[in-house]
Amino acid sequence: MVQLSVSLVRGHDQQTVEARLLDLQPRHVADFQSLWQAQLRQFSQEDKYWDWAFKERLTIRDVNYEGYAVEYEGCTQGLMMLETQWHSSQFYPGASLVYVATLSVAPWNRYPIQNPPQFKTVGSALLTFSRLRSVELGYGGRVGLHALPAAEGFYERKNMMRLDPDPDNRIDADEESLTYFEYPAVNR
């Protein structure tokens, strides 16, 4: 069971607060459905139809998937699902990596919806954890993902490398049109 402290930055005063990064639980899915989804649809966000209840079930029944949430004062601020065994690096062919299947932050933490956002650095905390998880698994910090178009700038600012699409790294046909990003190993 994962429970880590992560630092978030409050948008209105730039103060740091301590949140928790936890294993994905039904309460996090309930927050997505009851607190996030209507706003995501209202503001036409690309992840508005993601089915976090399905993702949670997948993380329970399939050891290749792991789900995580960032929570502050009992409210879900971010969600992420990782795939840990089926993807390989484009930098180091044949070398395993952690694949970020989905990463989403609460609507009130997004500039297009709220300015300033309630909390900054939620996505950064989740992405940083994906690298830590990669190191724990012996993958050297290698992380890959396909970015939704509106998130490409975020991953570029996080110094992920934009790479050509790799058909071997896709988990479904929808990713064909998405840009692939990867962190190489941290110790090379």
Side-chain angles (χ1 to χ4, degrees):
M1 184 103 167
V2 170
Q3 183 167 335
L4 300 172
S5 179
V6 295
S7 295
L8 304 181
V9 176
R10 276 195 312 239
H12 73 277
D13 63 6
Q14 307 308 307
Q15 293 297 308
T16 301
V17 299
E18 293 303 310
R20 297 183 311 157
L21 190 142
L22 308 161
D23 290 316
L24 183 64
Q25 299 293 315
R27 70 179 182 273
H28 303 127
V29 173
D31 280 354
F32 177 83
Q33 293 168 335
S34 65
L35 302 175
W36 298 26
Q37 209 157 32
Q39 288 184 56
L40 295 176
R41 289 179 178 158
Q42 177 185 352
F43 289 93
S44 299
Q45 298 295 289
E46 295 167 319
D47 56 343
K48 63 186 171 233
Y49 295 117
W50 284 358
D51 185 348
W52 280 97
F54 171 78
K55 293 175 190 320
E56 183 206 10
R57 287 190 305 275
L58 191 59
T59 65
I60 291 168
R61 72 172 188 258
D62 191 330
V63 296
N64 298 330
Y65 290 99
E66 299 175 358
Y68 300 97
V70 171
E71 187 179 285
Y72 180 72
E73 294 185 344
C75 186
T76 307
Q77 304 297 325
L79 298 166
M80 178 174 66
M81 186 171 80
L82 303 177
E83 192 289 310
T84 61
Q85 299 177 29
W86 294 333
H87 289 82
S88 60
S89 170
Q90 286 191 31
F91 284 112
Y92 312 103
S96 295
L97 59 68
V98 165
Y99 183 79
V100 179
T102 53
L103 189 154
S104 185
V105 299
W108 49 86
N109 295 327
R110 300 178 188 205
Y111 279 104
I113 297 175
Q114 183 169 314
N115 192 4
Q118 183 176 355
F119 294 107
K120 300 176 185 179
T121 68
V122 176
S124 298
L126 288 165
L127 194 58
T128 297
F129 177 75
S130 72
R131 283 202 98 178
L132 294 173
R133 188 69 182 113
S134 174
V135 169
E136 287 175 353
L137 291 168
Y139 302 162
R142 289 183 295 273
V143 173
L145 58 86
H146 286 87
L148 294 171
E152 288 180 9
F154 169 75
Y155 296 114
E156 288 171 343
R157 288 188 300 279
K158 296 297 158 194
N159 297 316
M160 291 191 84
M161 301 298 296
R162 179 189 291 258
L163 299 169
D164 292 330
D166 178 359
D168 293 335
N169 274 353
R170 290 194 196 108
I171 58 173
D172 64 43
D174 293 338
E175 292 176 354
E176 195 167 319
S177 62
L178 300 178
T179 302
Y180 181 73
F181 287 87
E182 188 173 314
Y183 277 128
V186 291
N187 51 350
R188 284 203 180 217

